[in-house]
């Protein structure tokens, strides 16, 4: 039997403790070797909970010699530095989204990983949920006729004032943190030739980052994608594909819990059919995909990660002019 992949974690982040560490612990192909934090007490507390070694300091974690992969759940502005450091010590990396705050850096890191035959995966989990593959099949089978338009929204209520998402120095802002989901969904369904034809970012009073926004994109064949995102809204996490003969609707699209029963709404010929699928744990599926890529020595296609980074920068530029 092959030994599990030994993972070191850089930062005792909420997403790490709540979602990713339980998934790494449950996956037979991964084992949490160590958790590093800036505060030794916090690192000890988290390490105790997951039965691994606490480490005080991120550099110190990278000095350990029994770690093959690193998970980076830091604020966005710190992803590039620590991802690069981990790659330079020969570790495979699973880094939180957005991989960096600038598409040139994203390109550099993807090249660095590929040159060393290391897996570098951005932690966009919803793409690993089987519901979206089922939607792709429906579209390919002509269930809604010819695809005309895509709409997606991810909006959440306000967060505590000290949240990393409100801090420009830490790479905060609704676009990269939240808008990344509907944008990635648009790329997932409409492909990499999608380009920006309109964008607006809104910074609400008293905030130093954009707190909401929207963008309009189009394929060369004029299939349009409209995305809405924000962190001062009622909760919404959904997308719709509009065809010449029908519409597909998907709710709880981006962060469904493991036991959620996924439903695809198929509206066609004046009728609505709710297609129910088995629950699917997208966090477990993502961890398994990372471990499998490392095992197989197969570098995942970085195309969507890179195009997403280019479009995030493009939306910022478009909204500023
Ligand atoms: N893929 C997903 O579904 C998903 C979901 C939620 C969040 N995320 C992403 O995960 C990342 C972390 O988000 P989160 O909500 O978990 O954030 P968080 O709870 O604030 O965690 C960030 C961690 O970064 C470390 N850190 C290092 N320098 C810091 C600084 N100057 N200020 C604040 N923290 C610092 C801290 O760990 P120590 O103090 O222990 O060193 C902290 O616990 C973000 O990129 C976010 O977009 C992804």
């Amino acid at each position: 039997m092959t030994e599990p992949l030994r993972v070191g974690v850089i930062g005792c982040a909420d997403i790490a403790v709540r979602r990713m560490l339980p998934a790494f612990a449950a996956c037979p192909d991964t084992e949490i070797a160590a958790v590093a934090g800036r505060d030794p007490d916090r690192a000890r507390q988290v390490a105790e909970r997951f039965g691994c070694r606490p480490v005080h300091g991120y550099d110190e974690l990278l000095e350990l010699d029994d770690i093959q992969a690193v998970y980076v759940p830091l604020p966005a502005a710190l992803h590039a530095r620590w991802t690069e450091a981990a790659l330079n010590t020969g570790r495979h990396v699973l880094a939180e989204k957005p991989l960096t705050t600038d598409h040139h850096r994203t390109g550099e890191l993807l090249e660095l990983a590929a040159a060393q035959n290391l897996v570098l995966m951005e932690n966009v989990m919803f793409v690993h949920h089987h519901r979206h593959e089922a939607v792709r099949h429906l579209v390919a089978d002509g269930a809604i006729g010819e695809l005309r338009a895509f709409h997606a929204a991810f909006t959440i209520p306000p967060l505590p004032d000290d949240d990393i998402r409100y801090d420009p120095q830490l790479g905060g802002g609704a676009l990269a943190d939240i808008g990344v989901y509907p944008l990635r969904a648009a790329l997932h369904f409409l492909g990499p030739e999608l380009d920006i034809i309109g964008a607006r970012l809104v910074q609400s009073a008293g905030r130093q980052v954009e707190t909401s926004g929207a963008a309009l994109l189009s394929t060369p064949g004029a299939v349009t994608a409209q995305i809405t995102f924000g962190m001062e809204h009622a909760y919404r996490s959904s997308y719709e594909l509009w065809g010449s003969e029908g519409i597909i609707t998907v709710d709880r699209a981006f962060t469904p819990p493991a036991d959620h029963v996924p439903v695809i709404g198929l509206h066609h010929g004046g009728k609505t059919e709710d297609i129910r699928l088995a629950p699917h744990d997208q966090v477990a599926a993502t961890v398994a995909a990372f471990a499998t890529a490392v095992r197989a020595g197969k570098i995942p296609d970085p195309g969507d990660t890179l195009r997403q980074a280019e479009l995030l920068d493009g939306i910022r530029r478009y909204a500023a002019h």
Side-chain angles (χ1 to χ4, degrees):
M1 207 178 89
T2 338
E3 291 294 310
L5 181 70
R6 290 178 62 76
V7 180
V9 179
I10 292 190
C12 304
D14 173 69
I15 183 66
V17 174
R18 208 164 37 81
R19 292 283 197 123
M20 297 305 294
L21 295 190
F24 280 124
C27 177
D29 293 327
T30 57
E31 183 177 310
I32 308 166
V35 176
R38 295 169 302 168
D39 170 5
D41 289 337
R42 172 78 177 139
R44 196 171 313 118
Q45 208 183 37
V46 174
E48 255 171 37
R49 183 164 154 198
F50 292 97
C52 67
R53 196 171 355 159
V55 179
H56 180 205
Y58 304 159
D59 278 315
E60 288 71 11
L61 182 127
L62 294 178
E63 281 163 17
L64 301 179
D65 55 15
D66 62 342
I67 285 174
Q68 293 124 20
V70 171
Y71 167 54
V72 180
L74 298 172
L78 305 180
H79 293 172
R81 174 181 167 195
W82 290 102
T83 295
E84 185 170 41
L87 290 171
N88 281 333
T89 58
R91 272 53 177 259
H92 304 280
V93 178
L94 178 64
E96 269 310 334
K97 37 62 60 170
L99 179 53
T100 78
T101 51
D102 157 17
H103 77 272
H104 297 292
R105 276 301 267 153
T106 295
E108 280 170 14
L109 293 180
L110 290 167
E111 276 173 26
L112 178 65
Q116 301 188 82
N117 249 343
L118 293 170
V119 171
L120 169 56
M121 218 171 100
E122 184 184 40
N123 198 30
V124 177
M125 297 197 268
F126 78 89
V127 296
H128 298 278
H129 194 294
H130 65 187
R131 180 165 39 166
H132 314 298
E133 208 43 44
V135 169
R136 263 186 175 158
H137 283 303
L138 283 171
V139 175
D141 292 346
I144 56 170
E146 262 182 59
L147 188 58
R148 302 273 191 246
F150 176 83
H151 289 189
F154 195 27
T155 57
I156 62 170
L159 297 156
D161 283 345
D162 62 353
D163 192 277
I164 56 168
R165 289 157 188 79
Y166 293 123
D167 188 338
Q169 305 303 323
L170 296 179
L175 172 62
D177 200 276
I178 299 161
V180 74
Y181 291 92
L183 178 62
R184 184 61 158 260
L187 275 174
H188 193 71
F189 290 107
L190 304 190
E193 289 188 299
L194 205 55
D195 220 339
I196 303 153
I197 53 175
R200 183 84 195 255
L201 296 178
V202 180
Q203 184 172 324
S204 58
R207 300 292 185 197
Q208 308 212 301
V209 295
E210 82 281 353
T211 42
S212 64
L216 183 61
L217 302 99
S218 177
T219 67
V223 179
T224 52
Q226 187 177 318
I227 63 168
T228 302
F229 46 90
M231 45 188 184
E232 49 191 6
H233 302 62
Y235 184 82
R236 184 92 177 132
S237 169
S238 64
Y239 65 78
E240 297 181 355
L241 289 145
W242 296 50
S244 53
E245 291 163 27
I247 296 170
I248 288 172
T249 55
V250 173
D251 279 327
R252 301 287 300 268
F254 300 123
T255 57
D259 59 358
H260 174 67
V261 176
V263 179
I264 299 170
L266 178 59
H267 312 264
H268 189 276
K271 291 191 194 130
T272 295
E273 182 189 351
D274 280 342
I275 303 170
R276 279 167 205 282
L277 305 180
H280 191 203
D281 183 342
Q282 68 183 32
V283 186
T286 306
V287 166
F290 178 65
T292 302
V294 171
R295 277 273 153 74
K298 229 178 112 196
I299 311 293
D301 178 4
D304 277 0
T305 296
L306 191 55
R307 187 69 190 133
Q308 171 196 293
E310 289 167 352
L311 290 172
L312 287 174
D313 286 353
I315 290 171
R316 261 183 223 106
R317 272 197 310 274
Y318 198 105
H321 85 334

